[in-house]
Amino acid sequence: MPVKDSRIKNSRNAGNFVNYYMNWDVQTFSAAALGIALAACCGFRVFVPMLIAGLAGRFELFHFSENFVWLSSMPALITLGIATVFEIAGYYIPFIDNILDTIAAPLAAVAGTLLATSVIPIENDWMKWITGIIAGGGSAGLIASGTGLLRLLSSKTTLGVGNNVVATGENAAAIGGSVLSFLIPVIMAVLFILFFIWMIRKMIRRVRGNKTSVSQSH
């Protein structure tokens, strides 16, 4: 009987051990997906995802790592709220939106890096920041560059009339994407990764098309 009880106890301990680390892996994977998805949303609007993430932390719907708790502080939320209002309004002013695009990509990369680093559960600080720069800053900068090119094309073809439509779509993507990132982080991360692949392929095809047209002209 003691041997049997010991086996049962060991079996239970092993099961608890496996369940603990399986849950930890799922939580880690979800947190990493959340970081990628939020960072990507910074490519549509720099301050919207940061404001939503800060509010989520403020209402204890999400917990930042220790070094980034300040994002959910009241001064940070007030500053982000004001910046969000000015950013959204600025994209509805003709030609001002194009000026904003010139600084949006680097700002989006910084914001994406910050959000991804604050969420991705890596203990080593160097690895955390390197991952945040690559996954967060890279994805945010890529999307910001893509939306900037789209607005530039709209400015040329519609004389700026269609820019409001583009701005509204970006606002919806930033707000909706940020909220959904907390609800379904893995799905949102996968969708954004597929979007990155599509954008990269389009850019490669465009570059190849330009090279072909130049060579044919000569």
Side-chain angles (χ1 to χ4, degrees):
M1 288 296 293
V3 175
K4 185 176 180 181
D5 291 341
S6 177
R7 289 177 179 176
I8 293 174
K9 184 177 181 180
N10 290 336
S11 177
R12 288 176 179 175
N13 289 337
N16 292 334
F17 179 83
V18 172
N19 289 333
Y20 172 80
Y21 279 101
M22 283 185 65
N23 291 334
W24 184 84
D25 286 341
V26 170
Q27 292 172 0
T28 303
F29 186 70
S30 297
L34 174 62
I36 293 173
L38 282 177
C41 291
C42 290
F44 296 107
R45 286 293 176 267
V46 174
F47 298 108
V48 169
M50 297 183 68
L51 176 61
I52 292 176
L55 288 172
R58 184 71 179 181
F59 291 103
E60 298 184 354
L61 301 174
F62 172 79
H63 297 284
F64 288 105
S65 58
E66 185 177 353
N67 294 332
F68 297 93
V69 176
W70 60 269
L71 281 170
S72 58
S73 66
M74 188 56 67
L77 291 176
I78 293 174
T79 303
L80 289 172
I82 295 173
T84 297
V85 171
F86 277 100
E87 183 183 23
I88 291 176
Y91 276 101
Y92 285 103
I93 301 175
F95 303 111
I96 296 296
D97 54 355
N98 297 118
I99 296 175
L100 289 175
D101 279 333
T102 60
I103 60 175
L107 283 179
V110 172
T113 299
L114 184 64
L115 274 182
T117 305
S118 68
V119 172
I120 294 176
I122 299 177
E123 294 183 1
N124 185 283
D125 288 338
W126 282 102
M127 288 302 298
K128 180 190 284 284
W129 279 102
I130 290 173
T131 305
I133 292 171
I134 295 174
S139 60
L142 179 62
I143 290 183
S145 299
T147 55
L149 290 174
L150 179 61
R151 194 179 341 274
L152 184 60
L153 178 63
S154 174
S155 298
K156 290 181 177 179
T157 56
T158 67
L159 297 178
V161 176
N163 288 18
N164 287 348
V165 177
V166 176
T168 301
E170 290 171 343
N171 292 334
I175 297 171
S178 298
V179 173
L180 290 175
S181 294
F182 284 97
L183 300 176
I184 46 174
V186 176
I187 294 176
M188 293 302 297
V190 170
L191 290 177
F192 278 123
I193 290 172
L194 293 176
F195 184 56
F196 300 151
I197 296 173
W198 178 80
M199 285 187 66
I200 292 172
R201 292 182 64 181
K202 292 286 288 184
M203 290 180 179
I204 293 174
R205 288 178 181 176
R206 184 170 182 176
V207 170
R208 288 178 178 176
N210 291 337
K211 288 183 178 179
T212 302
S213 60
V214 170
S215 62
Q216 290 177 351
S217 63
H218 288 291

